[in-house]
Amino acid sequence: MSSPNRLPRHIIWLSLGALASLAGSGAILAGISAVTTTGAGQPDAGVNALGVYFLVIALGLGGLVLAAMAGKELLDFRRQLQLR
């Protein structure tokens, strides 16, 4: 049986999900800037910018929501520890 003072796993998974989402958003955004700078003079070398930017924004917002959920769970966990 686990210790009651041990951090619950769902807080860790929420934090890892937020980190992965925000890192993916940043990596895609960096990839967009690399692709658009190398294909500047060619008419068909661009990226479907609207769809990719939507993906970057969705991943970023998803990461922020997951981080907020992990923060709330962590605060609730600490409050429960103080009540014991």
Side-chain angles (χ1 to χ4, degrees):
M1 181 156 253
S2 66
S3 171
N5 296 337
R6 191 172 147 198
L7 191 65
R9 287 187 180 176
H10 64 276
I11 295 174
I12 297 169
W13 285 113
L14 284 171
S15 301
L16 287 175
L19 180 66
S21 181
L22 291 172
S25 177
I28 292 172
L29 193 59
I32 291 171
S33 66
V35 168
T36 56
T37 57
T38 57
Q42 303 160 352
D44 291 335
V47 179
N48 184 3
L50 187 59
V52 176
Y53 284 127
F54 176 75
L55 179 63
V56 168
I57 291 169
L59 277 173
L61 289 176
L64 290 176
V65 168
L66 286 172
M69 289 171 60
K72 183 192 176 302
E73 291 291 329
L74 185 62
L75 287 175
D76 289 344
F77 176 71
R78 288 194 175 187
R79 285 184 190 138
Q80 286 179 354
L81 282 180
Q82 289 177 355
L83 291 177
R84 290 182 192 169

